[in-house]
Amino acid sequence: MDMSRRTVIAGAAAAGITAATLGDAHAHGTGGRAPVRSLFGTLADGTKVHSWSLANGGTRMKVLSYGGIVQSLEVPDRRGRYANVSLGFRSLDDYVASSPYFGALIGRYGNRIGKGRFTLDGRTYQVDVNDGENSLHGGAKGFDKRVWDVEPFTKGTDVGLHLYYTSLDGEMGYPGTLRVKVTYTVTKYGDWRIDYAATTDRATVVNLTSHVYWNLAGEGSGTIENHELKIDGSRYTPVDSGLIPTGELARVAGTPFDFRRSKAVGEDLREPHQQLLYGQGIDHNWVLDKGISPRPEWVATLKDPSSGRTLRIATTEPGLQFYSGNFLDGTLVGTGGRVYRQGDGLCLETQHFPDSPNRPSFPSTVLRPGQTYRSTTVHSFTR
């Protein structure tokens, strides 16, 4: 990875992967219909939250205006049988009361900032602390707990949603008014693409991501430890006991973090490795070999052998946070009416590195006036 590319700005051409690059699995795309809106619930202050249903190319999604949450994402298995492969809740009340970021848009800063502090242009900022002494996913009321403005669209054979949110100067302690646009597109091939864009009126830090918990056998079906995972990353960022990176870019070779060749998620999950003890499993950032790229490049493949469902991920981002669902504790009941226990879902969050504002050697997450933050991630489903 070229660590000299310390910019959060991805090229404007990062609009997604063309159909020609997707291979035989996408040979027979189908057109979709316009997104359909329905009332999902009402917040305590009277704000209405809507659900948007999208269907295209064999993929069916439901997205909430609250948190930009993917409430469900259904794809067929090798026999054509559909299942919801993302963890979530049936009701708005559950998302408000106890969600561990199920399916949500994350910002302003995905992942952790040590002690919730960073210095930018000689000024130290204190942002909201909500994870021990650290800040996690933008604070106690990050983008996952905001109601987004949603605009549906159809464009050629694609269908999707534009989601808009303006984060005011000082919100959760972050400087600058940040204007965010996130586009969810479901293509005729059934791919789900996310395009992020943001501008600011003051220098700030930004790291946006999506926090879907995947279980390709179907949510509520049990452990993901038999899923097979491959990550194109030869290094990762070790953490301290508070899960804040130490600054080292350690090699994965010879450790439980080596997913350069596909292996079962649970194969090394119980090894007596200090990093696994810190995270109670895997909750670490991979340094992707490709670095920052102007267009999305394939970086990870997740497969469920039992159903045949496979998820491939491409991104412009330099990092991938793999979280093995360590803190699911059996107290949450999902959309299918089943309890979620430890390891019943996993996250693959494309992003810049945790605590980058405090690590000058990491790719920068600074955004300044006149610049546009851009990032693209593509999720491709096959069977």
Side-chain angles (χ1 to χ4, degrees), residues 4-14 178 196-200 204-208 290-295 316-318 352 363-376:
S4 67
R5 293 195 61 187
R6 295 186 55 243
T7 174
V8 72
I9 308 300
L178 191 76
Y196 305 87
T199 58
T200 184
T204 191
V205 295
V206 187
N207 191 27
L208 307 181
K290 72 173 188 63
I292 299 170
S293 55
R295 297 182 63 84
T316 57
E317 289 294 290
H352 272 53
S364 175
T365 53
V366 175
L367 180 69
R368 299 185 180 279
Q371 296 177 326
T372 300
Y373 170 104
R374 296 189 190 278
S375 176
T376 298

Side-chain angles (χ1 to χ4, degrees), residues 70 94-95 136 156 163 165 202 230 277 317 347 382:
V70 175
D94 285 336
Y95 282 107
L136 176 65
L163 298 100
Y165 178 69
R202 289 179 59 195
K230 179 178 182 292
L277 296 175
E317 289 294 290
C347 302
T382 57

Side-chain angles (χ1 to χ4, degrees), residues 207-229:
N207 191 27
L208 307 181
T209 190
S210 171
H211 209 290
V212 172
Y213 286 68
W214 301 104
N215 187 322
L216 298 182
E219 66 81 32
S221 65
T223 183
I224 46 77
E225 290 190 17
N226 293 326
H227 281 38
E228 297 169 356
L229 177 63

Side-chain angles (χ1 to χ4, degrees), residues 147-280:
V147 177
W148 293 63
D149 293 326
V150 181
E151 176 185 306
F153 70 88
T154 57
K155 183 179 181 181
T157 56
D158 294 343
V159 299
L161 305 171
H162 298 303
L163 298 100
Y164 301 91
Y165 178 69
T166 298
S167 175
L168 297 179
D169 182 31
E171 183 177 282
M172 294 290 101
Y174 287 90
T177 294
L178 191 76
R179 300 183 184 279
V180 184
K181 176 183 178 182
V182 179
T183 300
Y184 288 172
T185 303
V186 183
T187 74
K188 68 176 182 178
Y189 301 104
D191 297 335
W192 170 40
R193 190 176 74 230
I194 312 175
D195 291 299
Y196 305 87
T199 58
T200 184
D201 61 359
R202 289 179 59 195
T204 191
V205 295
V206 187
N207 191 27
L208 307 181
T209 190
S210 171
H211 209 290
V212 172
Y213 286 68
W214 301 104
N215 187 322
L216 298 182
E219 66 81 32
S221 65
T223 183
I224 46 77
E225 290 190 17
N226 293 326
H227 281 38
E228 297 169 356
L229 177 63
K230 179 178 182 292
I231 301 174
D232 294 334
S234 302
R235 297 178 183 266
Y236 75 107
T237 52
V239 296
D240 62 20
S241 60
L243 301 183
I244 300 299
T246 63
E248 180 187 5
L249 304 182
R251 295 191 179 277
V252 300
T255 77
F257 300 93
D258 192 349
F259 285 88
R260 291 174 296 171
R261 294 185 178 181
S262 183
K263 70 176 183 182
V265 168
E267 182 174 322
D268 298 317
L269 202 56
R270 287 166 177 77
E271 290 296 307
H273 192 286
Q274 184 60 60
Q275 288 295 306
L276 295 179
L277 296 175
Y278 282 153
Q280 298 182 35

